Amino acid sequence: MKGIIIAAGYGSRLKALTANTPKSLIEIEGKSIITYPIDALLTAGISDISIVVGYRADVIISYIEKLYPSINFSYNKDYDGDNALSVFAARSFIGTDPFVLAMGDHLISSSLVTTLLSDSTITRTLCVDSESKNASQVNDGTRVMADSKGRIIEIGKDLKDWQSIDTGLFMMDSEVLDNIKHLMARQGKNVTISEVVQHMADNGRHFQTCDVSGQFWADVDTEEDRDSVSVLIKEGQGHDL
């Protein structure tokens, strides 16, 4: 199984901290943010990993290579676009195999990845949290609505009716890349991963949900997120980070 971690963006909402440092290299409790998803994938048995870089790519690559010499890198030249372009930028590394996708600005426990991998029959899955309550999960969270079979029928930040929050951890297949390409032809650089999931749902090619409620994860978009996550870790949450 291959793993992709996207870390190409500017981190514009962390401007005070990212003026000289890429967002993914900001430290929380002695570790840079991006090492949390890397370690989660490695602990769950995924060692064939590519980091998608863009903004300050040279700095990220230099940092990661010292800690994880075997990790691959993919380059997103359109890193000023939306995040689906980073997934597409890794297509040569991905090939035709299913792959796990994680966000470079999300802290995730290895248990999330293990749970995701536990059903090998599903190749399009999103880990969701139906009990989200921490500020770093819900403040800017992407909301998810699924049908009675657990298939995603709606996804977006502005949903009025929803059941769970997108954790940023996916299982994807090459069909997702085809749909990203289709939407890029129509929308240019403005294609988000959520739009791809919604487009596929609208065309009967649903993602399945995998509920990881109770397992630790966090999305770091602001200084407040960073500070709140630091407190949670100090309190003993995320013990398997």
Side-chain angles (χ1 to χ4, degrees), residues 45-149:
I46 299 175
S47 58
D48 195 4
I49 299 170
S50 184
I51 310 291
V52 183
V53 294
Y55 173 67
R56 303 296 301 275
D58 55 336
V59 177
I60 297 174
I61 291 171
S62 176
Y63 178 89
I64 294 295
E65 282 182 334
K66 293 173 184 175
L67 296 176
Y68 309 93
S70 64
I71 279 185
N72 177 277
F73 295 91
S74 301
Y75 183 69
N76 175 11
K77 63 181 178 61
D78 295 315
Y79 57 83
D80 56 338
D82 286 322
N83 59 2
L85 275 70
S86 284
V87 182
F88 193 70
R91 62 193 180 279
S92 61
F93 173 81
I94 294 165
T96 58
D97 298 324
F99 61 97
V100 170
L101 171 68
M103 305 295 118
D105 58 359
H106 283 45
L107 284 71
I108 54 172
S109 296
S110 59
S111 60
L112 267 74
V113 187
T114 303
T115 302
L116 176 63
L117 295 174
S118 64
D119 188 346
S120 60
T121 64
I122 299 173
T123 55
R124 283 194 302 276
T125 310
L126 168 60
C127 289
V128 299
D129 189 341
S130 59
E131 300 174 3
S132 302
K133 57 183 182 296
N134 297 328
S136 60
Q137 297 172 333
V138 299
N139 282 353
D140 193 46
T142 297
R143 301 169 177 182
V144 177
M145 174 66 80
D147 64 14
S148 60
K149 296 180 180 179

Side-chain angles (χ1 to χ4, degrees), residues 153-239:
I153 52 174
E154 285 190 283
I155 183 169
K157 292 184 182 295
D158 300 319
L159 295 189
K160 296 289 189 292
D161 297 315
W162 53 281
Q163 301 154 328
S164 58
I165 298 291
D166 168 2
T167 69
L169 182 66
F170 294 80
M171 176 82 77
M172 293 185 172
D173 59 13
S174 59
E175 190 174 344
V176 177
L177 300 179
D178 294 337
N179 280 266
I180 295 173
K181 184 177 181 179
H182 171 79
L183 290 175
M184 286 170 59
R186 190 170 76 187
Q187 300 173 202
K189 298 180 182 180
N190 302 313
V191 183
T192 67
I193 294 169
S194 294
E195 285 178 305
V196 176
V197 175
Q198 186 67 63
H199 174 75
M200 295 185 72
D202 292 343
N203 288 277
R205 307 300 294 166
H206 301 82
F207 274 71
Q208 196 78 16
T209 54
C210 173
D211 198 328
V212 293
S213 298
Q215 301 177 47
F216 187 85
W217 68 278
D219 178 6
V220 183
D221 287 318
T222 65
E223 288 187 60
E224 290 76 17
D225 289 341
R226 181 202 60 175
D227 295 341
S228 69
V229 171
S230 179
V231 170
L232 292 173
I233 294 174
K234 286 177 180 176
E235 291 176 346
Q237 297 193 42
H239 57 84

